[in-house]
Amino acid sequence: GQQLNQSPQSMFIQEGEDVSMNCTSSSIFNTWLWYKQDPGEGPVLLIALYKAGELTSNGRLTAQFGTTRKDSFLNISASIPSDVGIYFCAGFRGSQGNLIFGKGTKLSVKP
Amino acid sequence: NAGVTQTPKFRVLKTGQSMTLLCAQDMNHEYMYWYRQDPGMGLRLIHYSVGEGTTAKGEVPDGYNVSRLKKQNFLLGLESAAPSQTSVYFCASSSRPPGTVSNQPQHFGDGTRLSIL
């Protein structure tokens, strides 16, 4: 089946540092989404990207839709302890329901 | 302001037992989805519905059935539970498909943790 390769799998950073993670695929996607999941809860949408090359910010978060339409990037600036969680990318190719998720990046922030 | 509510939150079953997971949304959304989340696997779509009375298969539909008799409810059934179905199940809803340029996100419930012994 379709796969999204998300990296890194995990990150251990110091509070205040910037974070970068990415998602790549062998297939083209029309939409890229980035979610955050806290323990015991469902994913929460952070940023949605709909056009190749699009750069969108949400507070300290910035995400980009790669120009090849096969990748996307998420950056978090000046990390804080509440940024801890698992970040998922997801891609959508245009069929009715199939949103394909990456395996997640687990972020740990040391105060 | 409930959003997406899943019941039950936890359940332990024996192999071969059946059960139904209920998802309810109060946002009048047309689209509803069932995902399973396994360690290291991300979320995978089981079944989805694009409106009342309609259902469709997702990426991993085998062993599951669904029904959407009412717009606000989406039921996920396991007819004969197997240990491989031990997972965390998430329901989601959206007013439009996730690829629509309308910034309508998928709203997720808090999950049902299911263990099959």
Side-chain angles (χ1 to χ4, degrees):
Chain A
Q2 300 175 60
Q3 285 191 344
L4 290 183
N5 300 309
Q6 188 172 347
S7 65
Q9 285 188 332
S10 61
M11 302 181 73
F12 296 86
I13 63 170
Q14 198 76 33
E15 182 177 359
E17 290 183 351
D18 297 342
V19 174
S20 291
M21 59 190 78
N22 68 80
C23 226
T24 61
S25 172
S26 58
S27 303
I28 290 174
F29 285 96
N30 297 324
T31 299
W32 285 96
L33 306 174
W34 285 93
Y35 291 84
K36 183 191 177 198
Q37 185 177 26
D38 292 325
E41 298 183 11
V44 174
L45 183 69
L46 299 174
I47 294 178
L49 303 160
Y50 298 108
K51 295 181 183 177
E54 180 180 355
L55 186 71
T56 298
S57 293
N58 178 6
R60 293 179 295 105
L61 279 62
T62 302
Q64 184 164 22
F65 192 142
T67 54
T68 66
R69 298 168 64 192
K70 294 181 179 181
D71 55 9
S72 180
F73 307 87
L74 177 69
N75 296 314
I76 305 173
S77 62
S79 59
I80 58 178
S82 62
D83 290 335
V84 165
I86 302 177
Y87 292 80
F88 290 98
C89 64
F92 184 73
R93 293 189 64 189
S95 60
Q96 286 282 8
N98 271 341
L99 192 62
I100 307 298
F101 280 81
K103 296 182 180 181
T105 294
K106 186 176 182 179
L107 179 63
S108 300
V109 179
K110 192 184 298 184
Chain B
N1 192 16
V4 178
T5 303
Q6 292 183 231
T7 54
K9 295 189 186 306
F10 305 93
R11 183 62 63 90
V12 178
L13 292 178
K14 295 182 179 178
T15 298
Q17 286 185 318
S18 63
M19 81 160 294
T20 300
L21 280 63
L22 171 64
C23 177
Q25 52 95 3
D26 60 2
M27 296 170 283
N28 202 35
H29 284 170
E30 289 291 336
Y31 297 79
M32 297 188 74
Y33 315 80
W34 274 107
Y35 293 89
R36 60 177 290 172
Q37 185 177 31
D38 301 298
M41 292 295 292
L43 285 88
R44 292 181 293 170
L45 183 66
I46 305 171
H47 286 280
Y48 63 98
S49 169
V50 301
E52 181 179 324
T54 73
T55 63
K57 294 180 180 180
E59 184 184 355
V60 288
D62 295 341
Y64 304 96
N65 58 74
V66 288
S67 65
R68 183 96 181 270
L69 298 179
K70 293 183 179 180
K71 186 177 183 179
Q72 63 267 34
N73 296 335
F74 195 28
L75 278 61
L76 178 70
L78 285 74
E79 290 184 349
S80 180
S84 61
Q85 293 178 304
T86 293
S87 187
V88 181
Y89 291 86
F90 286 99
C91 177
S93 72
S94 64
S95 59
R96 296 187 184 183
T100 304
V101 183
S102 62
N103 204 26
Q104 295 296 327
Q106 285 192 338
H107 299 262
F108 284 84
D110 286 338
T112 294
R113 283 144 186 82
L114 186 61
S115 295
I116 316 295
L117 304 178

